[in-house]
Amino acid sequence: MYSKGHRKFGLRRRRGFVMKRVGIGLAALALVATGCSSTGNSSSPTSSSDTPTSGSSPVDSGTGSSSPTDSGSPTSDTPEPTISLSNTGPVSIAWWGADARNQAMTKVATAFGSENGVKVQTQPAEFAAYWDRLTIETAASNLPCVVATNTRTNGQYEDKGAFIPLDDLVNAGVLDASGISETALNGQRNADGKLYTIPHGFWFEAIVYNETMMAKYDVPVPEQGWTWEQYVDWARTAQPKLPAGVYALNDRSNQAVQFQAYVTEHGQTLFAPSNTEVGFTQETLANWFSMWQQARSEGLTPTAELSVQDQQAPAAAALIATGNVLVSTKSDNYLGDFQTGLDAINGGTLRLLGLPTGGAPQAIGSNSWSISSNCEDVKDAVAFINYYINNPSATATMGGQSGLPVNGSIMELEASSPDVDQATKDRIALLQSLEANGAKTDVWPANSSLLETQLKSIAEQVWFGKVSPDEAAAFLIEQVNDALSNNG
Amino acid sequence: MTEHQLPEITTERHPQPPSRPRRTAFAKRENAVAYAFLAPWLIGFFGITLLPMLGSLVLSFTNYTGSFTKMKWVGWKNYVRMFTIDPQYWASVRVTVLYVLVSVPVMLIVALLVAAALNRGIKALGIYRTAFYLPSLIGSSVAVALLWRYVFGRPGLVTGVLGYFGIEASSWINNPDTALYTIMILNVWTFGTPMVIFLAGLRQVPRNLYEAADIDGAGRWQKMRYITIPSLSPVILFNGVLATIGGFQAFTQVYVVSGGTGGPADSTLFYTLLLYQRAFAQSQFGYASAMAWVLLIAIALVTAAVFASGRYWVYYGNEG
C-alpha cells in the first residue's frame, strides 16, 4: 500500500496530529478541572441536613402565629398588611457555626417548623466554608431563603442585590422588629439607606481572661480602658510568673477586628468615610505588627508555629481553652466554646472585658438574618425571623451562641432570669456598659472582606519573619485599597 | 480511476444501488442517530465545558464580582495586575513550580523503582500491586488530607516517633519551611497509578533483549540504563505529562491540609488555591478567570514542551 517512506511520513504526521489533539484536549481539561476542583471543594467541609418537620406540606404561618413577645408589640395594632408574600416550597435557612451552635440553631429551626407546620430546610456550614458557599450562591442567584450574615459581610451581598429590602415589611409590622432598638436597626442600614438585614444576635470583641489561673499565678487582672500598649506591658509583668508552656497573651495580630480597636485607640477608622480606601495610615498598621513582633520575641505570646496551629483549632481546643494562654481577645459569643474546653481539663473560669481602645468607644457587631432575592417563600422566611428574634424559647435555646438577644425585652428578661447562666449575664452587662460608653453597631462596606483574609495571610508572613512590618503594611493597604476602589 | 469505473465499484458494494435521494435520506437518518448517541457528550462538551470556558475568557477582561449590573470592561487590567502588582501571584507561581519540579520526578522515580521491583516474578504480585496502588485511589481524598495533618502536625505521628528517639521535632505542617514538603510527600505517596502503567510497560519489553544483554555480560544497571529505560520511554513520557498536568492543578490536598489558607505564611499557596481564594473568598471572579486562562496556557505550553522534548529521548521501537 505505502512505501516505507510514506509510512514513516504518515506516522510522523499522525503523531503530530495526535500530539496536537492531546494538547488541546488536555488544555481544555486543565481549565475544567481547575474550575471543577474549586467548586467541588467549596462544599466539602460543609455539612447540610434536611430537617423535615411534622407538617408534610407548607401551610400558612402568618406572623400572628410567630409568638411575639409580651413587650407590647405593635403587630396587633397594625391593620392586616396588604403586602402579598410568596409562599411556595420549603423555607431554607443557612448559617455558619461550630457543632454546638449548629445543634442549637437546628433545634430552633425545627421547633419553628413544627409549631407552625412549615417545612424547613437547614443548611449549616463551618465559618470559612460558609462564605465561600454564599459567594457562589450569590453569583448564581441561588441563595437559601433566610441567610445569616454579619456586619462585616452584609455590604457585599446587599450591593449585589442578593437580599430584598425589608423596610416595607418592618414598617407594616409584618416583620416584627419592634423589640430592636432604633439605633441598632438603623446601624444595619446600607449606604443606600435601605434595610436589608435584621440583627439576630449582638456580639463584641472582648478580652477573655482566665480568672482562676490569674489568681493561681498571682497575676493582676487587666483593666478595661487600657491601651494596647498597656495591655502588652501588662503581659511583660505577668509572663515571668507563668510556668513554661503558658503564655500571657494570645497573638491576635492577624485579626482585623482586633486591629480595628487599635486603630480606634489611635483616633483613626478602619475605612475612610467614602468607603473607597482604608481609614488608617501605613504607619499605624506597621506599628501594630511591630508591637506584636516585639511581644512574640519576648516570649509573651506563643511561637508563630503554635499560633498557626491555634488558628486552625476548633474553639474548644484553642490555646485559651487548653489553659496554655492566660488572656486572649475574641468575640464574646465564643466564651461558651472556650469554657467547654477548659471545663474538660478543670482549667478554670473565663471572664470578659472590653477591648483595649484607650477608653474610646469600641465597635459592636451583629449577626443578622436576610431574605434572599430568589426566595420563593418570603412569608415563611419572615415568620422564621420573627420567631427567632422575638420568641423567648428560641433565644433560650440559642443561649447567646450566635450573639446576645436583639429584642430588648428578652435581653432584660435574660439578664435577670435564674435560668440563664452567669456567663451570659456577664456578657449582657458588659455589652450594656460598652453601649453606655458610646459603642455602636459598625457595618463594614462592600469589598472589604479582603481586609480580613489578607491580614491573616500577611500577618503570618510577619510571624515567620518573611516580611517586615513596614512591607506587610504597605502590601496590605495596596491590596485592600484596590478592592475598596470598586465602591467608588 | 476513470469515470465509468466508479458505478461499477458502487454496484459491487451495493447489489441493489439505492437511488441518490434515498441514499441521502438514509445518510441523514444515520447521521441523526449518530448525533443522538453523541448528544450527551455534545451537550456536556458545549454546555458544561466550552461555553463556560468562553464565559470565563470574557469575564477575565471584566471586574465581575458576582453582579452583572456592576460589571465593567477593564481590558487587560486583570492580566497586568497579576504580572506586575499582585505579590501573592508570584508567590503562588513559585510554590506551584517548585511543587511540580520536585514532586513529579520523585514520584515517577519511586513508581518506576517499585514497578521494577514488582516485575521480577514475585509471588502474590496482585496483593502487592493492590497495596501500592491503593494510595492513588484515596490519596487525593479529603479524609487522607485530614489524616496528613495528624501525621505531620504536632502532636502527630512523625513528631511522636522522632520524639521517642529523643529528637525534638516541630510541626512540619505549621512551619513555612517544611509545609510544602509534606504536601509533596503526600503526592509522591500516590505513585500507584504511574506504577501500574510502568508495570504494564515493563511486561512489554522483549525478553530477548535482556537475554542478549546477559550473553554480552551486561550488569543489572546496564540493562536498566540501555534496555529498560529506552523501552519504557514512551510510558515515561505519558506518565510525566499526566503527572505534570496533575501537579499544576493540585488543589484538594493543599486546601485541606492548610485549612484553605495556603498557609503558613503562604508557603503552600498553590496557584489553584490562590485562584480559588480570589474567586470564591474575595469575589474577584474576573481576576480569577484571568488566572485560570494563564494557567491553561501555561499548562498547554509546558505539555507541548514536554512532548517536543520527547523527540530527543523517547524511543518508539520501530523508528531509528
Side-chain angles (χ1 to χ4, degrees), chain A residues 27 30 132 160 312 454 460, chain B residues 65 87-88 149 249 265 276 296:
Chain A
D132 292 359
K160 285 174 192 156
Q312 298 179 350
Q454 294 307 91
E460 275 186 11
Chain B
T65 57
Q88 272 187 308
R149 293 193 61 81
Q249 296 179 351
Y276 174 81
L296 170 75

Side-chain angles (χ1 to χ4, degrees), chain B residues 16-280:
Chain B
Q16 291 172 327
S19 66
R20 202 176 164 80
R22 277 187 61 201
R23 258 178 71 199
T24 313
F26 176 72
K28 268 187 184 164
R29 206 166 54 238
E30 226 177 18
N31 281 349
V33 171
Y35 280 120
F37 276 112
L38 279 172
W41 186 86
L42 288 175
I43 293 168
F45 179 71
F46 286 103
I48 301 175
T49 306
L50 200 64
L51 277 178
M53 264 183 77
L54 293 176
S56 95
L57 182 63
V58 173
L59 286 186
S60 75
F61 294 101
T62 70
N63 66 349
Y64 178 64
T65 57
S67 159
F68 284 111
T69 51
K70 297 202 165 191
M71 188 170 84
K72 270 185 260 168
W73 190 263
V74 296
W76 292 94
K77 187 187 163 192
N78 288 328
Y79 292 91
V80 172
R81 179 174 162 69
M82 194 187 306
F83 292 124
T84 59
I85 302 174
D86 189 348
Q88 272 187 308
Y89 179 81
W90 287 110
S92 77
V93 170
R94 262 196 305 280
V95 167
T96 310
V97 170
L98 182 64
Y99 172 79
V100 171
L101 285 181
V102 175
S103 80
V104 170
V106 172
M107 179 167 78
L108 291 186
I109 290 168
V110 171
L112 183 56
L113 290 179
V114 174
L118 290 182
N119 192 38
R120 296 161 85 189
I122 52 168
K123 283 183 185 170
L125 173 66
I127 293 173
Y128 287 109
R129 204 168 42 198
T130 310
F132 285 115
Y133 183 65
L134 213 54
S136 285
L137 295 178
I138 59 171
S140 57
S141 70
V142 172
V144 167
L146 272 177
L147 180 73
W148 224 243
R149 293 193 61 81
Y150 293 101
V151 171
F152 288 103
R154 185 178 176 192
L157 193 64
V158 170
T159 52
V161 170
L162 290 177
Y164 183 76
F165 292 106
I167 303 165
E168 189 57 42
S170 58
S171 162
W172 289 27
I173 280 175
N174 295 333
N175 184 333
D177 297 327
T178 51
L180 182 58
Y181 295 101
T182 64
I183 314 262
M184 288 179 181
I185 294 170
L186 176 54
N187 188 45
V188 170
W189 183 56
T190 62
F191 64 85
T193 307
M195 181 205 71
V196 168
I197 298 169
F198 277 137
L199 207 49
L202 285 171
R203 295 284 164 101
Q204 305 296 322
V205 182
R207 295 282 108 198
N208 57 355
L209 293 180
Y210 290 113
E211 284 159 13
D214 281 336
I215 293 166
D216 288 345
R220 187 181 292 173
W221 164 246
Q222 284 169 314
K223 281 191 272 186
M224 184 84 172
R225 167 73 184 79
Y226 295 105
I227 300 174
T228 311
I229 291 183
S231 307
L232 271 185
S233 55
V235 182
I236 295 175
L237 175 69
F238 175 77
N239 275 336
V241 167
L242 282 193
T244 305
I245 293 173
F248 277 113
Q249 296 179 351
F251 178 83
T252 310
Q253 298 163 343
V254 70
Y255 178 85
V256 177
V257 171
S258 75
T261 63
D266 289 351
S267 61
T268 60
L269 187 66
F270 280 41
Y271 195 96
T272 50
L273 190 57
L274 181 66
L275 191 158
Y276 174 81
Q277 288 182 356
R278 291 283 184 266
F280 300 110

Side-chain angles (χ1 to χ4, degrees), chain A residues 117-177:
Chain A
V118 174
K119 200 169 182 194
V120 177
Q121 268 186 350
T122 57
Q123 301 179 1
E126 176 270 321
F127 185 79
Y130 180 78
W131 303 109
D132 292 359
R133 198 171 75 186
L134 275 200
T135 307
I136 302 164
E137 288 171 339
T138 304
S141 290
N142 188 27
L143 283 163
C145 254
V146 184
V147 186
T149 54
N150 62 29
T151 33
R152 306 202 301 260
T153 52
N154 292 341
Q156 58 188 345
Y157 302 101
E158 294 172 359
D159 282 18
K160 285 174 192 156
F163 303 148
I164 59 170
L166 302 170
D167 304 70
D168 290 347
L169 292 169
V170 170
N171 292 340
V174 177
L175 209 167
D176 182 8

